[in-house]
Amino acid sequence: MAQARLSSITSHLSPGPAYLQKNDNDVVIVAAKRTALTKAFKGPLSQLQIEDLLSAALKGTLESGGVDPSLIEDVCMGTVLPPKGGATVCRMAQLHAGIPIKCTTSTVNRQCSSGLQAITAIANMITSGQIDIGIGGGVESMSHHYVAPTLPPDQKVSPEVTKEKEANDCLMSNGDTSENVSKDYRQSRRALDEYAARSFQRAEKAQKEGNFDQEIVPVFIEKDGKTIEVKRDDGIRAGTTAETLGKLKPVFYSDGLSTAGNSSQLTDGAAAVILARRSVAKKLGLPIIGKYVMQVQTGVPARIMGVGPAYAIPKLLEKVGATKDAIDFYEINEAFASQVLFCIDHLGLDHAKVNPNGGAIALGHPLGATGARQVATGLSHAKRNGAKTFVVSMCCGTGLGVAALFVNEQ
């Protein structure tokens, strides 16, 4: 009896999984914010350059965490489309935001996971001891840099390399890959439209209830001699149903399933996440709102690149020692309804636990910013609902799946 009682006590005192434990060398999150996401070419942010968007995101995030800009040692930003990798303009944005010249800047391009990859780059620098505090995030102005999904006319590809089919598949447009997923896994147009409608409906509800308000920092623009504050996502279509989406024509093939309504929107926006070593954050009295645990990545065939999260998420869970049901919710980027629906069903996830506030179909997908946007949205949702853990995941062009685990400490 006594032994049973002792076993019960020690079980109660068990520290639990390693990813929930707190250590001084943990990489913690001090603040995570984003700009509003607005429609490319016609939204209010379309007149701004990426340095404008990023500067606003950096300033707002620093202010929200009460962080002295002089403490920031390195900034890494994910961005996909700008010339020269956006390195110059991101450095300009850092300086304009008041982060001193001694702080260094870099950019990273891992397609749609670039914002998450930038966060991981900063986290790895903290873990290795190179820095104590840094900012990871992402920015994209689709308005200024988006071009049709083909190679520029002056860019030539090696005829020798493209003889290899899988290498040649890397040139395939994302729209083509979406249709390949639908064909390979025998999806129906109705199922895709039902998923997309749910994304719009969740985002509409979240916006009406003010769920996005705390994660968005304002951007101020000058128009007609007036200063306008932009702090509201404008891609959410109120009243969307599967029936209304069913009236839209396919955009890639006349007999295809992907439409403008069940695919991610072209969008402008930026997001930033301040990370620090836990011991340093505690010493400086900085708020600790979450913990970065780990990112993993895996390759999949480029012709069905959207299936990436279905293989990256299990790899992540195995490495951290968690089951899929132990995770409170998942933020899986909605590049297309086809691919995210496949991933959910393949993994056997509860639909209610995936993108509870909608995703990129409703909010938009500013390529380089999306991963960091998902982190900001995830932390905000976790705080409101008392959730402890969440996974951010996405597919990437050329056939990649990326996933990372975060812990809420708010």
Side-chain angles (χ1 to χ4, degrees):
M1 181 70 108
Q3 186 176 6
R5 184 180 177 188
L6 178 61
S7 175
S8 175
I9 292 173
T10 55
S11 175
H12 176 70
L13 295 176
S14 172
Y19 58 82
L20 292 180
Q21 296 174 27
K22 297 180 181 179
N23 300 292
D24 279 349
N25 285 326
D26 288 340
V27 177
V28 298
I29 298 170
V30 171
K33 298 290 181 179
R34 67 176 178 94
T35 67
L37 306 183
T38 70
K39 297 175 183 177
F41 311 114
K42 54 187 177 180
L45 299 181
S46 62
Q47 65 180 282
L48 300 182
Q49 300 290 341
I50 67 169
E51 54 268 33
D52 297 310
L53 295 171
L54 181 54
S55 178
L58 290 171
K59 286 179 182 178
T61 307
L62 287 164
E63 290 172 3
S64 72
V67 180
D68 182 345
S70 67
L71 294 173
I72 305 301
E73 298 173 81
D74 195 36
V75 173
C76 183
M77 285 293 135
T79 190
V80 177
L81 301 175
K84 299 181 181 179
T88 300
V89 289
C90 285
R91 171 70 167 169
M92 292 167 62
Q94 169 222 316
L95 298 171
H96 185 262
I99 300 174
I101 198 166
K102 66 178 181 178
C103 173
T104 49
T105 312
S106 65
T107 60
V108 63
N109 181 353
R110 186 170 256 173
Q111 308 275 3
C112 298
S113 70
S114 298
L116 183 59
Q117 188 64 44
I119 292 170
T120 295
I122 293 297
N124 288 342
M125 292 183 75
I126 293 171
T127 299
S128 68
Q130 295 179 63
I131 64 172
D132 290 322
I133 303 177
I135 301 179
V139 60
E140 208 76 61
S141 173
M142 305 290 276
S143 295
H144 289 283
H145 300 123
Y146 178 77
V147 294
T150 58
L151 286 173
D154 61 343
Q155 182 173 339
K156 297 182 179 176
V157 178
S158 164
E160 181 61 33
V161 170
T162 52
K163 288 178 183 177
E164 205 285 315
K165 184 181 182 305
E166 291 189 344
N168 192 58
D169 284 347
C170 291
L171 300 175
M172 191 175 291
S173 76
N174 287 342
D176 287 335
T177 71
S178 175
E179 296 293 356
N180 287 340
V181 170
S182 292
K183 290 177 183 177
D184 286 6
Y185 300 103
R186 300 181 181 180
Q187 294 176 325
S188 70
R189 169 69 184 271
R190 177 70 184 185
L192 303 191
D193 288 343
E194 286 177 348
Y195 179 85
R198 188 158 61 246
S199 181
F200 279 109
Q201 291 159 8
R202 288 179 177 180
E204 180 185 1
K205 181 175 183 290
Q207 190 175 64
K208 286 181 177 178
E209 294 178 354
N211 291 353
F212 297 129
D213 293 351
Q214 292 304 307
E215 67 192 64
I216 298 177
V217 296
V219 179
F220 297 95
I221 61 174
E222 299 295 325
K223 187 175 181 180
D224 300 327
K226 298 180 181 179
T227 301
I228 300 173
E229 180 185 55
V230 180
K231 202 180 177 185
R232 183 178 175 85
D233 303 318
D234 71 358
I236 302 170
R237 301 166 189 158
T240 298
T241 65
E243 287 70 29
T244 59
L245 292 177
K247 298 176 182 178
L248 299 175
K249 294 181 179 181
V251 293
F252 302 112
Y253 299 100
S254 60
D255 60 345
L257 303 186
S258 294
T259 72
N262 61 33
S263 305
S264 58
Q265 300 180 47
L266 300 181
T267 307
D268 302 325
V273 178
I274 302 176
L275 303 111
R277 190 182 316 281
R278 186 186 293 277
S279 59
V280 174
K282 290 194 298 185
K283 180 180 178 181
L284 295 172
L286 299 176
I288 296 176
I289 65 173
K291 181 172 82 166
Y292 167 94
V293 180
M294 178 187 293
Q295 175 186 296
V296 304
Q297 45 281 323
T298 191
V300 297
R303 65 174 296 277
I304 51 170
M305 66 91 190
V307 305
Y311 299 93
I313 290 173
K315 182 177 179 181
L316 172 69
L317 297 179
E318 181 180 3
K319 281 188 174 290
V320 301
T323 64
K324 65 182 181 182
D325 295 327
I327 305 303
D328 291 317
F329 66 97
Y330 295 79
E331 290 285 333
I332 302 178
N333 186 41
E334 298 170 350
F336 300 93
S338 60
Q339 56 84 207
V340 72
L341 185 60
F342 166 81
C343 293
I344 293 170
D345 292 344
H346 179 82
L347 293 170
L349 300 179
D350 180 350
H351 278 252
K353 292 173 63 172
V354 180
N355 301 339
N357 299 287
I361 288 173
L363 296 170
H365 179 23
L367 306 178
T370 289
R373 192 282 301 169
Q374 289 175 284
V375 174
T377 299
L379 286 167
S380 180
H381 178 80
K383 180 179 181 180
R384 288 192 306 274
N385 295 276
K388 195 66 177 174
T389 56
F390 66 97
V391 165
V392 170
S393 185
M394 65 283 290
C395 63
C396 309
T398 70
L400 308 174
V402 182
L405 176 63
F406 296 85
V407 176
N408 173 41
E409 296 192 9
Q410 299 169 91

